[in-house]
Amino acid sequence: LMASCDARVPGPEPSPPQESGTSVIGTQSALALSTAPPTATAEPTHTPTHTTTALPTASATPSATPSPTPTPTPTVTSTPMPAPTAIPNPKPQLSVQLEAALHHQRNGDYDLAIAALLALPSTALSPDQERLARFHLAESYLLNRDYLAAARAWDDFLAAYPEDDLQPQAHLKAARSLDGAGECAQAISTYETYLAHETLLADIVYAFIGVCHALIGSHQEAIAAYRKAMAAASDQEARTELREKIAGAQLALKDVDAALAEYDAILEVARKGAYRAEIEHQAGLALAGEGRPDAAHMRYRRAIDGYPKTEHAYLSLLELLAAGVAVDDFQQGMVSYHAGSSLLYTSD
């Protein structure tokens, strides 16, 4: 076919081919040519056909056949971001100062912690930094046993953050501050406010309330608080200590039998000899104070006979000797010997 395209038709001398700006063959090598027979003209037709039969190109000349113009893909030019402008920010420095104050508190340097917290400029603190600073300032006062300053600082914190998550802790610590300052009535009220928000430490807090009531002479209320503490306590040793406090409150109310019932309940569960001797000695003192010497002496002898190596056996021996009760010399010597050893050890 390519040969037929290049061959000339026989006849008169052909005239030179017309010059054209673009060669049809060159520009349409990928198009199909007409299959109709050549005419008698001197030049092969240059009219392109629309036959769809593709012809291979005879040369390496690239085709200049117009093709659909591809949609240009926009070039995305990466524009470098400008370097951020450094803006002075005092907060990192303030957080360092706050952390330094808390470090002093953790190390027990409460005076330094208080001074560092007071030196923080409150106007430049973030809200959370100010909240923590106020909380730890009050806490540092409490740990430093500056109870009045602590109570005032807790009041400030609770007034500023009435709905804060730290409110239960703040109420409890505020109550401890008032308790330490001798403000028992206010302390009891604040302890109760804590219990209204949280009961996690109910056994301990009810015991604190009982002690406060006992200090202001409200012994019945103290006993009620101690019993609530017992109900909340899971530890047997803690319950026996609370029974001892109840016995003390009963003695303050002149109810010796009720106190003895608590002492006997303790002896049913107590296993340590030193503690059992202490309870027997206390029971003896309670009986002696009510004018029941024989029953008191029996309690003293229990301490001496059962636990001769303990401190309260020696104290019971002294009570017996002071009352003129005869005690075996060997028993006196053994109790006194162990008491001397324990006192010597304690003095070291």
Side-chain angles (χ1 to χ4, degrees):
L1 291 176
M2 289 299 295
S4 65
C5 290
D6 291 335
R8 296 187 183 276
V9 179
E13 190 70 19
S15 59
Q18 297 178 348
E19 291 186 2
S20 173
T22 304
S23 167
V24 175
I25 295 297
T27 58
Q28 294 185 333
S29 60
L31 297 178
L33 298 180
S34 172
T35 56
T39 63
T41 59
E43 290 292 331
T45 180
H46 293 277
T47 303
T49 68
H50 297 284
T51 306
T52 58
T53 304
L55 294 179
T57 181
S59 65
T61 305
S63 172
T65 305
S67 60
T69 304
T71 303
T73 302
T75 303
V76 179
T77 304
S78 176
T79 304
M81 294 294 292
T85 304
I87 300 174
N89 185 356
K91 290 182 181 178
Q93 181 62 32
L94 287 173
S95 77
V96 169
Q97 293 176 17
L98 181 57
E99 179 54 39
L102 299 185
H103 178 74
H104 289 314
Q105 189 193 67
R106 288 191 295 269
N107 285 347
D109 298 325
Y110 304 125
D111 287 329
L112 292 176
I114 291 166
L117 289 166
L118 290 174
L120 289 171
S122 60
T123 55
L125 290 172
S126 70
D128 192 54
Q129 286 175 337
E130 183 177 2
R131 166 179 166 271
L132 289 176
R134 283 176 178 244
F135 184 90
H136 288 288
L137 176 63
E139 189 175 53
S140 294
Y141 279 129
L142 174 58
L143 293 170
N144 207 34
R145 299 185 180 182
D146 191 347
Y147 298 119
L148 288 175
R152 288 192 296 267
W154 287 122
D155 282 345
D156 291 343
F157 180 86
L158 290 167
Y161 307 99
E163 303 297 329
D164 194 87
D165 291 341
L166 293 173
Q167 190 184 70
Q169 293 183 48
H171 277 297
L172 178 55
K173 293 175 185 290
R176 295 301 293 150
S177 301
L178 292 164
D179 197 339
E183 301 291 340
C184 278
Q186 287 182 267
I188 291 169
S189 175
T190 310
Y191 282 132
E192 290 171 346
T193 302
Y194 163 77
L195 291 170
H197 286 85
E198 182 178 277
T199 58
L200 179 64
L201 301 175
D203 55 334
I204 298 172
V205 174
Y206 276 123
F208 290 154
I209 292 173
V211 171
C212 274
H213 277 303
L215 286 173
I216 61 178
S218 303
H219 299 294
Q220 290 289 5
E221 290 80 358
I223 291 169
Y226 291 142
R227 293 204 184 281
K228 288 179 180 179
M230 282 183 62
S234 59
D235 182 68
Q236 181 61 53
E237 186 174 352
R239 288 197 292 270
T240 58
E241 290 177 0
L242 288 164
R243 281 193 182 280
E244 192 175 348
K245 291 181 183 297
I246 292 171
Q250 298 285 14
L251 291 175
L253 293 170
K254 309 298 183 183
D255 192 346
V256 174
D257 288 334
L260 290 173
E262 297 299 331
Y263 288 138
D264 288 337
I266 291 171
L267 291 171
E268 288 178 5
V269 296
R271 294 292 176 264
K272 294 181 180 179
Y275 187 50
R276 291 179 66 83
E278 181 180 355
I279 295 302
E280 293 286 13
H281 178 253
Q282 288 185 23
L285 291 175
L287 289 164
E290 198 187 27
R292 296 159 64 179
D294 292 340
H297 297 162
M298 183 186 67
R299 293 283 186 164
Y300 295 145
R301 284 192 176 278
R302 284 185 187 177
I304 293 172
D305 295 340
Y307 321 102
K309 299 180 181 181
T310 65
E311 176 187 357
H312 285 87
Y314 178 71
L315 295 176
S316 295
L317 173 63
L318 294 180
E319 293 291 340
L320 289 172
L321 295 176
V325 177
V327 180
D328 181 81
D329 289 342
F330 175 78
Q331 195 170 35
Q332 285 189 52
M334 182 172 60
V335 171
S336 298
Y337 170 78
H338 287 292
S341 297
S342 64
L343 291 173
L344 181 63
Y345 177 78
T346 303
S347 65
D348 291 342

